[in-house]
Each structure stands twice: as C-alpha cells, then as structure tokens.
Amino acid sequence: MRENIIVNLFDIEKKYWSHPNYPVQKHLDNIAASFVENSHKEAAFFHDTGKLTDEFQKYIKNPDHARRTTHALESALIYLMNKNYKITPESFAIFYAVLKHHGDLADTNNFLDDKLSFIDDLLETYPDLEKRLEKICDRIDLSLDLDLEEFCNLFDLEDFVEEYDLVAFENYFLIKDVFSRLIFSDKYEAIFKESYSEKKSHQWKTYISNLVKLIESKNNKMAFVRNQARKEIITTYKKNKAKRIFIIGAPTGIGKTFSALQLALEICHDKNKKRIINALPMTSIIDQTHEEYSLILGNNDLLKFHHLTHSKSYISHDNEGRKERESLSKQQNDFTAMSWSSDAVIVTTFNQLLNIFYSNKNRDLVKFWTIRDSVIILDEIQAIPRVLIQDLAKTITYLSKSFNIDFILMSATIPGIKQFIPKGIMAELLDKRYFSMDFNNRYSIQINTQINDMESLLSVAKTNYKNNNSLLCVVNSKKLSLDIYSELKDNLRKNISSSELFFLNTNIIPKCRASIISTIKKRLQKKQKTLLVSTQVVEAGVDLDFDFGIREFAPLYSMIQAAGRINRENREGLNKSAKLIVTGKIGYCPYHPTDLLKEEVIELFSSEINENRILPLLEKYFQIVMDRVAPDPLLYQNMQKLDFETVYHIYLNNFMKAIPNVEPVFVEIEKGLHQTFFLRIDTLHKKMKQPGKSMEEKMECRSKLKSILKKISQYVINVSKNETDGLQDLHEIVQIKVCPYEFVKNGTKYSCEKGWLGEKTLTLNF
C-alpha cells in the first residue's frame, strides 16, 4: 500500500549530527519525505539512528582526528528490536537494507550466519555494543527489549531464509527495491541537503507530435514502408493496451528505432508512465540512437548513459519559484546522471540495465527504483546469451506485473524468449509479411565454406571490391582482421587510394573508432569508394550501408546483423548484386560450437537465400537453439534463495566474462595529452588531501575526478599484461598504464592506423 506517513517517528535534538554541522533529525526527515512507501519511511527513519552514539558524534565533529566508528549495525539492531524481533518479508527487507546501506548485498544465509549468529563473535567485533544501543534508545526516546542473545538466535539457523519463509523470487526484488530507495535518498540528501521530489508529468504528447513530424518529413525509397510498419505497430498496440510485453520482430532498416520510440511514448501517455529506458548492446549504437532521439526530445529530458559518457549538466529551479536558474555542482550533476533520477528518457547499455536486475553492488542498485512505472526497450535482444533467456523472461514477466513496467523487445532475429513469457501479457505488434515483402529483398546470403583461408578470402574481397563501390569484410578475431587489412593495403596499393581502405577493431581507442565510423558513413553517403575490414564492432545498429559484404562464419544472428549493413537503404538497382558471402572458419573462433550450430546453419542455407526468404530459416534456427537450452534457468534458484552475490557472479560469468591477464592502457595519441590529464588529476588529489576540507568539498573533487576519468576512457584499451612491462601508471591514484606519445609516433607499440600492435593482445578476443 502506497500512502504517506505524516508523523515523524523520532524527535532528535539538533545537537546530534549525521554529517558535519548537519542534524540527524533533518537528514532523516528529508530522506523519509523522498518516497511515499511505508517501507521506505521506516528504513529512512531508522537507518542512521546508530549515529547517535557518543563514539560517532566525536568522530563526526572532528573527522580528521577521531577514530572512525560504525552505525549501520546499530541502526539495523534498533529497527529489528523495535519490531519485537518479528521477521516478515517486509521487516527483513528493511532490516537488511539498513544493515547494508553502505555496502553491497551479500548472500543472505552466509552473511547472517557469519556475522550475526554468534553473540561472542558479535561482541568481540563490536565491544560495548549494548551500552551504545542503550544510549541510542535514550536519545530517540524508545523503550526496547535490548536482548542481543535473542537477536543472535534469530540467525543461528541452518537456513535462515527457508526457516522464515523468505525463499521467493518476489523477495529478491523487494529487498532490492527497499535497499535502492534508501541508498538513493540517503546519497541524494547528503549531496543536495533536501528531500528528493520526482517530476510529476512529462511532455509525452509533444514528443509524439515531434516524432511524427520528423518522420513524415523524410522522403526516400524506404519511407513508405517504414511509415506503414510504424502505423501498424501503433494500431496493434492500441488493440492490446492491457498487455505488458510487446514484441517487434522486423527486418533491419525498417525503422525500428523510431517505431519503438513512438510506441514507448504512446504507452507513457496512455498509462501515465514516468520514464523510458532504451537498452542496447553496444556503445556505438547508443551514441547513434541518442543522436536520433535528441531530434525529437531535445536534451533536457534525455540522458545517454554508459561507461564512456560524460556527466550531463542539469539546471535546478530554486524552491521559492523564482525565475533564476542555477547550474548544479559537478557532484550534483554526476549523481543525478548516474542515478537516472531526473531524465524522462534514458539510452543505455544492456550491461547497465541487466546490472540493475542481477547485480548486488550498491553503485548499480542506487537506480533500481527508477525502473518502476516505466517503459523498457530491449533493442537487439538477440545479443542476450541464450543461457540467460529463461531468467530474463522470468524477470521481465515478474517486473511487468509487480513494478508496473511495460517492456518492448525487438530485433531482426527475435530469439525464442517468447516461449517463456505467458501469452496473456504478451502481444506481437508487426505482421511477419514484412520479412517477405518486395522491399525486403535488399541482399542475399550465400555460405561458401570453400573460402577457408587468407588467400581465398583476399581473392574474393579484391574481386568484389573491384565490381562494387563499397565492401564490408567482418571477421571474428582481431589478429585476422589486422592480417587481412595489411594484406589488402599491400596488394591494392597500386589500384586504390589509401583513403579508400579502413580498419576497425577493439585495439583501436574508442575516440578513434567513433571518428572512423563517422568518416565511413559520410563516404558511403557520398558514394565514394570504401572498403572496411572489421571485427564484430561494426555489427548491430551501426548505421552504415555497403554494396557488398563478406562475413567469416559466426552465429546466425551475427551473420544477419552483418547483412543488415548491406544495401540497408534499398538503393535503386542494387538488390540484384548486393550480397553477403559467409566464409568458412579462417582464423581463431571465439564462439562455442554450441552457439555456432555450424552444420545446422549450413544445411539451412544450402543455397543462396534472398532476404525475403530468411524468416522461416530464422524460426527453424531459433527452435534448434532453444531446444538446446538447459531445461532450468541459470539464476532463478539463487534469486529465490536471496543469494545476491552468487547471482551476480553467475550472471557475469555468462554475460560479461572477465578476460584474464589484461590491463587498461591509456594511449597518448597527441603529445602532452598525458601531462594534461596528470596535472588535472594531481591538482584534485592534492586538494582532497588538504586538512580541514569539508565532506562536500571532498565529494566535489571526487566528482570532478570521475569526469576526468570518463574523458580518459576515450583513449583507453585493454592490453595483455605481458605487453605493459616498463609502462608507468597514469597517476598514483589511477591504476591505468600509459603508452607514451613516442611509442605512438614511432609505431613500436601503437599505430593510429592499426591500433595496438602487440601479438599477445592481438590474440585476446573479447
């Protein structure tokens, strides 16, 4: 039940501080006022009561000299004792949120057994705990039964979670929800010194109007069919408004980005939603999508958020309603952006969104609460590993009902997730005929496993580049991509200009990759001769349109994504010659054989297939894939058991596997670049170390440091540790090695043309 508690739980004297020169009572009141949920208000009022000890008050009034002290455990103890030691899903969620509000959520049973089940261990770790609890109760005027032995007995069980009937999928999300609201409002209040107030309404209708006007102003060969598909999506949605999960399966180039945005805006308007979150698999697609969205939304309500983005600048209106507008501080801007608490539309990565679902980290869960009452778009959903499909289906099914979220799932190759979603809450919005219409005959796919070495691939590339204006060649490994590029450059030197040949892989720093993609896009639009050799970084959503393509054998969805860069705009007369040739295995293959399904795919594509005949083959392929998915979900059981840390580790191992023995390296592509960043970091570091600095001043310095690190990340790549010997750190507080300009200038370690040149790094495949 969501109702506001008006009366404060405590009346604490102003002489007790939560932060330097800041009363505990004011801090608690502001946090409690940030959200209307009763569970939040209870967590808010109790979470810092542990700061009322003499030890903490001495520390906070002289932090430079006093010994640090604790308060989260004391606060959680006071809360649970106030509940007469009664464990329910809600009381435990509040207790656990208060207990862990300065840390990460742990595996519940293991953590409680290790930390709280033995009174002797507890008192050894926290001496004088009973006296501190008595002092707190006195200062908040609570008369409680302070029985630490009874408290510890609650957790001295073989399986606490099962004993108290807490084993439940919904409790996993209940704890995250309570925890998220508490840690967000706590940080918000500490930074802004006020309660958080959510925007009440957004300009959904205006944005819909802007979008329709923009789309109707476009006049090209694909415009008619794109408008037709978009209108069909909206019409079908209007007939299925009560549904929660919407599927858009459509061929590449049909305008899914704008169609999905209009659909999301319509849902927001119809169902009074608070925000739209669009998650995509790659940062290059995010940058492009953000640019397209900004044409409709402007930038006031729009946030681009991934690990390379800079903080957005926000404007605040003062509380008295005056016309003056004040820019927020760096720290305030950073927190507003990273918490997703202000913007109506957020464009982000799968990694950021799925971390909200499955991470146990404080830094990720600070924005968990923002997904409630939203529309979430999962674009290019085929990029989710198939082993996580069942867990994702269970997650979005539950969240759609319990958190009032509408989901939009879309791709040119929708995987078998549909079979795990209840039909009663799901609607498919676009007829399959678009896959077989005349417009959808822009290219053909031909598998030729006889092309199985460098020589045969080079021959095919040279022949087809001669007969076409542009050609894209995508391979699976960084080493092979560099070898092909180098050979083509040498072999074609006599016949083509060096300005025609381009190269992309993840050994090139992000800043240069973005520049290369921009240059290629302009060349293709001008119909200039262009040949690109690349790894998978160019696939999925990168808006490039080549005449011809070559793709080393990969999972079928990856082939289809590469094909989506061929004759993307259905240019006049090109559909008879536009083709993607899929070769055999040539270099190192990073894919597991069970993901490749090589024999099955070769059989499905036994002859050359036009684009408008691919859908039936895709459906057969995904049925084969789903038949091979493990019968049980990967994460679900641990989520039920409230094993927060284990869930995150399993998720990471199957979604974002860590690459061993790598180290981030800053590449100084311009002389003096390292020194510029070093001086800015060093200045902030020295400021933070100065005695007498307030907490606010230190936090502001940390925010500025984060902003610098985001800028630095545009020049950073991951390199084999074996190739970083002798390289110095960027700064003592920034554990990133530096490849100095001299090694770039003389090409011994890095080339602006070819990226990192070390052999060991070339064999690392992410």
Side-chain angles (χ1 to χ4, degrees):
M1 186 174 180
R2 304 177 76 180
E3 60 182 39
N4 204 351
I5 297 177
I6 299 173
V7 179
N8 292 338
L9 291 184
F10 310 123
D11 185 13
I12 302 168
E13 292 183 57
K14 290 183 179 180
K15 66 180 180 179
Y16 299 117
W17 294 353
S18 65
H19 301 85
N21 296 303
Y22 199 75
V24 170
Q25 185 70 62
K26 187 174 183 180
H27 181 59
L28 301 186
D29 289 348
N30 282 340
I31 294 173
S34 293
F35 296 105
V36 300
E37 285 77 6
N38 287 344
S39 59
H40 168 71
K41 292 185 180 297
E42 282 197 82
F45 280 125
F46 277 96
H47 85 288
D48 268 359
T49 53
K51 290 183 175 181
L52 294 172
T53 62
D54 290 338
E55 291 83 358
F56 187 88
Q57 290 302 307
K58 287 177 183 177
Y59 157 70
I60 203 65
K61 290 174 181 178
N62 193 3
D64 287 336
H65 300 95
R67 184 174 68 84
R68 289 185 178 274
T69 185
T70 62
H71 69 275
L73 173 68
E74 293 89 337
S75 301
L77 273 163
I78 294 290
Y79 167 76
L80 201 55
M81 290 173 177
N82 188 60
K83 286 291 182 182
N84 295 315
Y85 307 97
K86 185 177 181 181
I87 301 291
T88 66
E90 183 173 280
S91 71
F92 180 73
I94 296 169
F95 166 77
Y96 205 29
V98 172
L99 183 64
K100 301 292 289 179
H101 75 273
H102 284 299
D104 303 327
L105 294 176
D107 288 352
T108 303
N109 276 327
N110 291 342
F111 177 79
L112 297 177
D113 181 61
D114 183 49
K115 300 294 184 183
L116 302 180
S117 62
F118 300 106
I119 187 167
D120 290 341
D121 292 348
L122 186 67
L123 292 176
E124 183 179 344
T125 307
Y126 302 93
D128 299 324
L129 180 58
E130 289 183 272
K131 289 182 180 179
R132 295 207 299 274
L133 294 175
E134 289 173 1
K135 185 69 71 175
I136 294 166
C137 288
D138 181 57
R139 288 170 177 173
I140 58 176
D141 196 24
L142 276 183
S143 178
L144 299 179
D145 177 17
L146 300 175
D147 191 335
L148 286 179
E149 192 158 348
E150 183 178 350
F151 172 80
C152 290
N153 287 340
L154 288 173
F155 308 108
D156 188 13
L157 300 165
E158 188 172 333
D159 191 325
F160 170 86
V161 175
E162 185 173 334
E163 183 72 25
Y164 286 97
D165 294 324
L166 299 175
V167 179
F169 196 57
E170 56 265 31
N171 289 338
Y172 173 86
F173 290 109
L174 170 63
I175 291 169
K176 282 194 166 187
D177 194 33
V178 175
F179 182 70
S180 176
R181 292 181 191 279
L182 178 60
I183 61 175
F184 165 77
S185 55
D186 188 20
K187 291 181 172 79
Y188 185 93
E189 207 283 336
I191 293 169
F192 287 87
K193 297 295 184 287
E194 63 186 19
S195 60
Y196 170 73
S197 179
E198 198 164 23
K199 284 185 180 179
K200 301 301 181 186
S201 62
H202 295 289
Q203 304 176 62
W204 304 128
K205 263 301 186 189
T206 300
Y207 294 147
I208 294 170
S209 176
N210 293 346
L211 185 149
V212 172
K213 286 178 184 176
L214 177 66
I215 291 176
E216 290 180 349
S217 70
K218 294 178 180 288
N219 185 20
N220 54 45
K221 191 173 181 180
M222 292 290 290
F224 175 78
V225 72
R226 284 171 178 163
N227 276 325
Q228 180 178 298
R230 177 178 56 84
K231 290 175 182 176
E232 182 175 317
I233 287 169
I234 301 305
T235 300
T236 310
Y237 153 71
K238 294 291 186 182
K239 297 175 183 176
N240 291 273
K241 278 187 187 180
K243 301 293 175 68
R244 293 286 194 178
I245 299 175
F246 301 99
I247 308 288
I248 302 177
T252 58
I254 202 171
K256 290 192 295 293
T257 299
F258 282 146
S259 293
L261 177 58
Q262 183 176 350
L263 172 61
L265 292 168
E266 297 280 0
I267 295 171
C268 286
H269 178 262
D270 292 342
K271 302 184 183 183
N272 194 28
K273 300 287 188 179
K274 294 178 179 177
R275 60 178 51 83
I276 296 168
I277 302 167
N278 187 353
L280 303 110
M282 298 168 67
T283 56
S284 57
I285 318 174
I286 292 169
D287 294 340
Q288 178 184 309
T289 302
H290 177 267
E291 186 178 333
E292 292 174 339
Y293 275 23
S294 66
L295 298 174
I296 297 151
L297 309 168
N299 286 311
N300 287 342
D301 257 359
L302 177 63
L303 172 67
K304 175 173 65 174
F305 191 85
H306 57 75
H307 73 287
L308 296 178
T309 52
H310 299 165
S311 177
K312 179 178 170 180
S313 292
Y314 294 88
I315 301 293
S316 69
H317 298 269
D318 79 9
N319 293 330
E320 296 177 10
R322 294 179 304 193
K323 293 183 179 179
E324 292 90 340
R325 302 198 304 172
E326 178 187 0
S327 295
L328 300 186
S329 71
K330 188 76 187 81
Q331 183 190 2
Q332 291 171 328
N333 279 323
D334 284 351
F335 182 75
T336 302
M338 64 85 65
S339 63
W340 297 2
S341 56
S342 178
D343 295 279
V345 182
I346 297 153
V347 184
T348 190
T349 59
F350 279 176
N351 195 39
Q352 293 288 339
L353 179 66
L354 296 184
N355 277 350
I356 294 176
F357 296 166
Y358 305 121
S359 174
N360 70 318
K361 301 297 183 185
N362 192 296
R363 65 174 182 266
D364 296 317
L365 298 180
V366 74
K367 51 184 176 283
F368 178 88
W369 67 273
T370 65
I371 66 174
R372 188 184 287 277
D373 305 321
S374 68
V375 178
I376 296 178
I377 303 170
L378 284 160
D379 195 355
E380 308 291 359
I381 193 174
Q382 80 287 340
I384 303 289
R386 62 188 175 88
V387 293
L388 294 174
I389 288 294
Q390 286 195 65
D391 290 293
L392 182 63
K394 286 184 177 294
T395 298
I396 66 176
T397 297
Y398 173 77
L399 291 176
S400 68
K401 297 175 182 176
S402 300
F403 281 66
N404 187 32
I405 303 171
D406 282 35
F407 288 90
I408 301 170
L409 314 182
M410 58 183 197
S411 171
T413 55
I414 291 287
I417 192 171
K418 292 184 291 185
Q419 69 190 67
F420 299 114
I421 299 173
K423 288 183 171 55
I425 64 170
M426 179 182 69
E428 295 191 61
L429 301 185
L430 196 62
D431 194 278
K432 292 179 181 178
R433 73 183 188 281
Y434 286 92
F435 283 93
S436 56
M437 290 171 68
D438 287 342
F439 91 90
N440 195 39
N441 196 19
R442 295 167 290 181
Y443 60 81
S444 63
I445 295 180
Q446 181 182 29
I447 296 180
N448 185 347
T449 55
Q450 298 302 308
I451 307 171
N452 55 16
D453 56 27
M454 273 273 293
E455 187 177 347
S456 55
L457 187 147
L458 287 167
S459 176
V460 170
K462 287 186 281 189
T463 298
N464 286 287
Y465 184 58
K466 184 177 179 181
N467 297 329
N468 289 276
N469 200 55
S470 59
L471 184 141
L472 169 66
C473 178
V474 181
V475 295
N476 294 326
S477 70
K478 294 184 287 186
K479 186 176 189 311
L480 181 59
S481 68
L482 181 57
D483 289 344
I484 292 170
Y485 171 76
S486 299
E487 286 291 327
L488 284 172
K489 187 173 183 181
D490 291 341
N491 292 339
L492 297 178
R493 186 178 293 162
K494 296 178 183 177
N495 302 314
I496 71 169
S497 163
S498 60
S499 63
E500 297 177 20
L501 185 59
F502 294 86
F503 175 63
L504 277 174
N505 71 21
T506 53
N507 280 357
I508 296 172
I509 62 172
K511 183 179 180 68
C512 290
R513 289 206 303 265
S515 176
I516 291 167
I517 289 172
S518 176
T519 299
I520 292 171
K521 185 172 182 177
K522 290 174 183 175
R523 289 183 64 85
L524 294 174
Q525 290 171 342
K526 294 177 182 177
K527 300 183 179 178
Q528 295 174 317
K529 287 282 282 183
T530 305
L531 197 165
L532 170 61
V533 179
S534 178
T535 54
Q536 301 92 313
V537 293
V538 78
E539 290 177 349
V542 179
D543 191 10
L544 299 176
D545 185 4
F546 291 86
D547 294 353
F548 200 92
I550 300 169
R551 179 64 169 94
E552 187 182 8
F553 198 94
L556 181 56
Y557 60 80
S558 189
M559 297 181 201
I560 301 297
Q561 291 300 325
R565 311 315 121 201
I566 310 303
N567 193 21
R568 187 175 179 84
E569 294 298 324
N570 196 19
R571 286 167 284 142
E572 192 69 38
L574 197 63
N575 58 350
K576 292 181 180 179
S577 61
K579 182 187 294 188
L580 180 76
I581 293 179
V582 178
T583 73
K585 176 182 175 293
I586 297 172
Y588 170 80
C589 182
Y591 304 104
H592 194 280
T594 55
D595 291 323
L596 283 175
L597 298 176
K598 187 172 182 180
E599 292 180 5
E600 291 83 351
V601 171
I602 290 173
E603 184 177 346
L604 288 172
F605 286 76
S606 56
S607 60
E608 186 173 339
I609 303 293
N610 288 339
E611 184 187 10
N612 60 2
R613 290 175 52 217
I614 287 175
L615 179 61
L617 303 183
L618 283 175
E619 291 175 336
K620 289 180 182 178
Y621 168 79
F622 278 116
Q623 190 55 56
I624 295 170
V625 169
M626 297 316 296
D627 287 345
R628 298 190 182 192
V629 169
D632 298 315
L634 201 61
L635 308 175
Y636 184 70
Q637 188 174 5
N638 289 105
M639 293 169 78
Q640 288 182 304
K641 292 179 179 179
L642 312 184
D643 289 337
F644 294 96
E645 191 171 358
T646 296
V647 167
Y648 188 44
H649 284 315
I650 297 172
Y651 157 71
L652 284 181
N653 286 335
N654 288 276
F655 183 67
M656 295 284 287
K657 286 189 177 181
I659 307 297
N661 301 316
V662 296
E663 195 157 15
V665 172
F666 170 86
V667 181
E668 189 179 29
I669 60 169
E670 301 169 16
K671 190 173 183 179
L673 196 60
H674 168 226
Q675 184 68 5
T676 299
F677 282 123
F678 176 89
L679 290 174
R680 293 172 65 187
I681 292 168
D682 201 53
T683 300
L684 288 172
H685 180 48
K686 288 174 180 175
K687 280 185 179 179
M688 285 189 283
K689 289 171 64 177
Q690 289 175 358
K693 283 286 180 185
S694 69
M695 186 179 296
E696 287 76 13
E697 288 173 317
K698 290 179 180 179
M699 291 299 293
E700 185 73 9
C701 286
R702 290 192 185 101
S703 291
K704 289 178 180 178
L705 178 60
K706 286 180 182 178
S707 178
I708 294 170
L709 293 177
K710 284 197 178 271
K711 292 176 182 176
I712 286 171
S713 66
Q714 292 285 340
Y715 301 89
V716 173
I717 53 174
N718 286 307
V719 167
S720 170
K721 281 187 178 179
N722 296 322
E723 294 173 346
T724 63
D725 291 344
L727 298 182
Q728 69 180 73
D729 284 337
L730 194 147
H731 190 278
E732 64 177 284
I733 63 168
V734 180
Q735 300 303 306
I736 298 174
K737 298 293 184 184
V738 176
C739 173
Y741 177 72
E742 62 187 273
F743 292 158
V744 178
K745 185 179 179 181
N746 62 26
T748 53
K749 284 191 177 290
Y750 186 90
S751 159
C752 290
E753 175 192 358
K754 298 179 179 180
W756 190 264
L757 301 171
E759 285 292 324
K760 292 188 183 297
T761 300
L762 277 171
T763 60
L764 292 172
N765 292 284
F766 296 78

